[in-house]
C-alpha cells in the first residue's frame, strides 16, 4: 500500500504511460468538464460495473451509471470536485484509490462546499484501466440533505 496525499482535479498533465494515475486523472477531467463521452471511456462498459453515492444511488452497469451522471450533468447545479488520495494500492490488473473529494455544488441560488468520502477501483481490461467501482458518502447529515436539495429539489428519503 502506498500512503500519501495526492490531489487530482483532472487539470494535471497525464504521463501518457497508461497508468492508473492517468486513468483517475482522466476521470476527473471528464467529470469536471461534464464530458459524457470521455466518462464512457473511463468506466468499464459492463453490467458488473457499480456505483454507490449520495446522488446517483446504487447503480449497476455502465448504462445505469451513465443515467446517474446524466441527471447530474443536465440539472441546474454545477458540481466540481478534486480527489485527495489518502492511500492507493494495486496489483497488475487492479488499482484502488481511497480518499476524499473536495469541491463545490453551485446553483444560481446557492453555493455549497462538498466533502465526500470516496473510493474508486480501476481494473485493467485489454491493457486499459477502466473504473469498475465507485463509492462515495457524505458523513454530515446536514451537508448531505443540502446537496440532495440542490440536485433534486429536496433531500431523498430513506428507503423503507
Amino acid at each position: 500500500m502506498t500512503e500519501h496525499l495526492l490531489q487530482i482535479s483532472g487539470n494535471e498533465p497525464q504521463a501518457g504511460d497508461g497508468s492508473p494515475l492517468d486513468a483517475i486523472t482522466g476521470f476527473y477531467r471528464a467529470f469536471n468538464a461534464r464530458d459524457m463521452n470521455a466518462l464512457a471511456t473511463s468506466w468499464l462498459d459492463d453490467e458488473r460495473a457499480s456505483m454507490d453515492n449520495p446522488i446517483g444511488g446504487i447503480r449497476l452497469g455502465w448504462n445505469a451509471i451513465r443515467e446517474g451522471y446524466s441527471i447530474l450533468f443536465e440539472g441546474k447545479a454545477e458540481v466540481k470536485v478534486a480527489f485527495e488520495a489518502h492511500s492507493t494500492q494495486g496489483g497488475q490488473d487492479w488499482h484502488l484509490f481511497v480518499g476524499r473529494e473536495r469541491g463545490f455544488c453551485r446553483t444560481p441560488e446557492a453555493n455549497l462546499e462538498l466533502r465526500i468520502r470516496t473510493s474508486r477501483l480501476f481494473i485493467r481490461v485489454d491493457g486499459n484501466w477502466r473504473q469498475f467501482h465507485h463509492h462515495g458518502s457524505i458523513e454530515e447529515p446536514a451537508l448531505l440533505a443540502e446537496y440532495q436539495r440542490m440536485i433534486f429539489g429536496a433531500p431523498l428519503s430513506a428507503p423503507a
Side-chain angles (χ1 to χ4, degrees):
M1 176 164 52
T2 304
E3 301 237 5
H4 53 81
L5 188 61
L6 170 71
Q7 187 175 56
I8 302 166
S9 66
N11 294 325
E12 301 78 14
Q14 291 181 290
D17 59 1
S19 67
L21 185 57
D22 270 4
I24 195 167
T25 301
F27 166 79
Y28 280 98
R29 178 176 293 124
F31 179 86
N32 287 324
R34 295 180 169 206
D35 184 340
M36 192 65 77
N37 291 330
L39 272 182
T41 65
S42 172
W43 275 91
L44 180 66
D45 186 3
D46 189 291
E47 290 305 308
R48 297 173 296 160
S50 61
M51 177 173 75
D52 181 5
N53 69 31
I55 298 303
I58 298 173
R59 294 184 176 268
L60 302 175
W62 168 243
N63 290 333
I65 293 167
R66 174 192 294 268
E67 179 184 30
Y69 285 125
S70 292
I71 291 167
L72 183 62
F73 292 170
E74 294 168 9
K76 68 177 183 174
E78 175 189 14
V79 176
K80 295 207 185 236
V81 293
F83 179 73
E84 295 177 354
H86 293 281
S87 70
T88 70
Q89 55 187 312
Q92 183 176 349
D93 293 324
W94 65 276
H95 202 92
L96 176 64
F97 294 89
V98 177
R100 293 191 179 273
E101 290 174 335
R102 296 186 189 273
F104 66 84
C105 177
R106 183 180 308 148
T107 67
E109 300 82 30
N111 190 24
L112 184 65
E113 182 182 320
L114 296 174
R115 294 174 297 280
I116 304 170
R117 218 181 258 220
T118 300
S119 60
R120 295 189 181 276
L121 175 63
F122 288 77
I123 61 173
R124 191 187 329 243
V125 177
D126 297 328
N128 298 303
W129 289 100
R130 297 290 182 250
Q131 194 164 180
F132 184 70
H133 177 71
H134 159 63
H135 180 263
S137 60
I138 296 177
E139 299 168 305
E140 305 159 64
L143 177 60
L144 174 59
E146 185 57 26
Y147 185 37
Q148 290 175 338
R149 185 176 293 108
M150 290 175 77
I151 302 298
F152 300 117
L156 299 178
S157 60

